Amino acid sequence: MSITLLSSPLQGFTDFRFRNAFHQSFGGIDTFYAPYIKMNGKMVIKNNYQRDLNPEHNTVPHLIPQVMTNDPDEFLFVIKYIESLGYKELNWNLGCPYPMVTKQGMGSGLICNPAKIDAVLHKAHSESDITISMKMRLGYDEPSEILGVFPILEKYPIKNVAIHARLGKQLYKGGTDLEAFQKCVDQSPHKLYYNGDVTSVQAFRDLQERFPSIDHWMIGRGLIADPFLPQMIKNNTTEYPENRWQIFKEFHNTIYRQYDEALSGPMPIKMKMLGFWEYFSQSFNDPKKVYKAIKKNGSPRNYVATVDEIFAKQQ
């Protein structure tokens, strides 16, 4: 069975600069999802969302915008906006676990409210022809919450439901609940995508054996921690390319240069790259030591020198 790999959006990480550089350097991802658009009560698309979704800024083969809302009018407003850019599909985020989102009744905090989900989907489908897909967790407090949403989703031509097999309250802690995901497979008539802890080729193989009917797999944090992972999964190999560290360093240098140009001052670029290295470091022999070395750098010059040293040790 052929598989499709998708990049799960991570707010603050997987913007167009990262996506383009990743696709150019590593490949393996068939579809990228853009980090969510959030309206904050105003019918205005922020400049950073506009830049991120501008077709001229994106060179990946397939990009799908995402929205974070619990309001039917906001949802329709975003539909009209992305359609004006030429996009044909909108993904609805019911998966975000962060309290600043869930306390507003959005993300995974909305899964327990099927009536509101129904209201949003009804307006979207009655007033537009956009293709809608979903990204969800199993629930916020209980894994049974998603099962209560399935009867609502059956009323609409939802393209697919990507399920991160955790609860919202877990954030990213603890293991995935594969038994609860199996219940979703058994009960949902919609096409399901799997998301959660695809962090190695062996982990993928184990999950593929566990869920043989799933042919779409979403990779989130694992894609940043090991950028070679998607292509290795596609090639069914655990062997890295001989020039692994050269490719990785060139990718790093590309995104560092682009973020340095886009951000103002040394502190924003330091914090941006520190966020990436929290994941990048996991590819190296001593992740804690690597991350600590990056963290203690105070100037761009020292940062560049430290990065050169880290990659030189690997090579």
Side-chain angles (χ1 to χ4, degrees):
M1 179 174 62
S2 63
I3 61 168
T4 299
L5 298 183
L6 312 101
S7 170
S8 178
L10 273 74
Q11 210 75 7
F13 292 94
T14 57
D15 66 2
F16 73 93
R17 297 179 183 88
F18 176 89
R19 295 190 299 262
N20 293 342
F22 184 96
H23 177 64
Q24 182 70 29
S25 298
F26 305 106
I29 292 295
D30 301 290
T31 297
F32 290 82
Y33 289 83
Y36 59 73
I37 296 172
K38 191 168 181 287
M39 306 296 291
N40 294 321
K42 298 179 180 179
M43 295 298 187
V44 176
I45 305 294
K46 293 180 180 179
N47 290 336
N48 61 316
Y49 299 144
Q50 294 185 39
R51 286 192 295 271
D52 192 47
L53 292 177
N54 186 337
E56 295 182 359
H57 293 168
N58 286 278
T59 59
V60 298
H62 190 207
L63 177 65
I64 299 174
Q66 187 181 81
V67 64
M68 172 80 72
T69 186
N70 58 11
D71 181 88
D73 292 325
E74 286 186 356
F75 198 98
L76 191 62
F77 183 84
V78 173
I79 287 175
K80 300 302 183 185
Y81 174 70
I82 67 161
E83 284 183 326
S84 73
L85 298 177
Y87 294 101
K88 306 297 184 183
E89 178 180 340
L90 180 61
N91 185 261
W92 189 14
N93 186 318
L94 271 70
C96 182
Y98 292 113
M100 62 183 293
V101 167
T102 58
K103 287 180 180 179
Q104 299 177 48
M106 290 184 283
S108 59
L110 183 56
I111 300 174
C112 64
N113 195 336
K116 186 163 283 190
I117 295 171
D118 192 15
V120 172
L121 291 175
H122 176 76
K123 188 174 186 69
H125 283 97
S126 61
E127 299 187 32
S128 80
D129 296 322
I130 195 81
T131 296
I132 294 174
S133 56
M134 313 281 289
K135 187 175 189 302
M136 306 180 70
R137 289 211 173 195
L138 298 168
Y140 185 81
D141 288 308
E142 301 291 338
S144 59
E145 289 175 24
I146 194 172
L147 303 180
V149 178
F150 286 160
I152 299 299
L153 301 187
E154 289 181 36
K155 298 165 58 177
Y156 304 100
I158 304 298
K159 179 186 175 184
N160 64 268
V161 183
I163 300 174
H164 184 138
R166 278 187 174 87
L167 296 173
K169 68 180 182 181
Q170 286 182 257
L171 297 178
Y172 291 96
K173 300 173 184 176
T176 51
D177 190 339
L178 301 185
E179 291 297 325
F181 183 79
Q182 183 63 58
K183 290 181 180 179
C184 295
V185 172
D186 295 338
Q187 297 189 33
S188 175
H190 285 98
K191 185 171 185 63
L192 300 186
Y193 296 0
Y194 178 87
N195 180 213
D197 287 3
V198 181
T199 55
S200 69
V201 173
Q202 188 57 54
F204 171 77
R205 290 171 177 170
D206 293 342
L207 287 164
Q208 190 177 40
E209 183 177 357
R210 178 72 171 77
F211 303 110
S213 66
I214 301 298
D215 60 3
H216 283 63
W217 302 85
M218 188 173 279
I219 307 176
R221 296 169 298 154
L223 178 144
I224 305 177
D226 184 357
F228 293 93
L229 178 60
Q231 193 63 60
M232 290 169 67
I233 289 174
K234 283 286 186 69
N235 294 337
N236 192 26
T237 181
T238 57
E239 297 293 325
Y240 288 92
E242 291 184 5
N243 58 342
R244 172 187 181 182
W245 299 110
Q246 178 185 342
I247 295 171
F248 202 153
K249 185 179 180 182
E250 289 175 357
F251 165 73
H252 165 274
N253 290 349
T254 296
I255 62 171
Y256 176 73
R257 181 177 64 254
Q258 292 183 5
Y259 286 122
D260 194 32
E261 292 172 354
L263 300 171
S264 56
M267 186 54 68
I269 184 62
K270 176 181 178 179
M271 298 310 296
K272 169 66 75 172
M273 298 312 298
L274 189 62
F276 279 115
W277 275 100
E278 189 172 353
Y279 295 104
F280 289 166
S281 62
Q282 295 174 37
S283 282
F284 294 80
N285 294 332
D286 191 338
K288 290 184 178 179
K289 185 176 181 180
V290 167
Y291 183 69
K292 184 177 180 180
I294 293 291
K295 190 174 182 179
K296 72 178 184 180
N297 279 285
S299 71
R301 178 179 297 178
N302 289 342
Y303 172 83
V304 170
T306 299
V307 169
D308 287 344
E309 183 179 352
I310 288 170
F311 278 106
K313 286 182 179 179
Q314 294 295 140
Q315 293 173 330

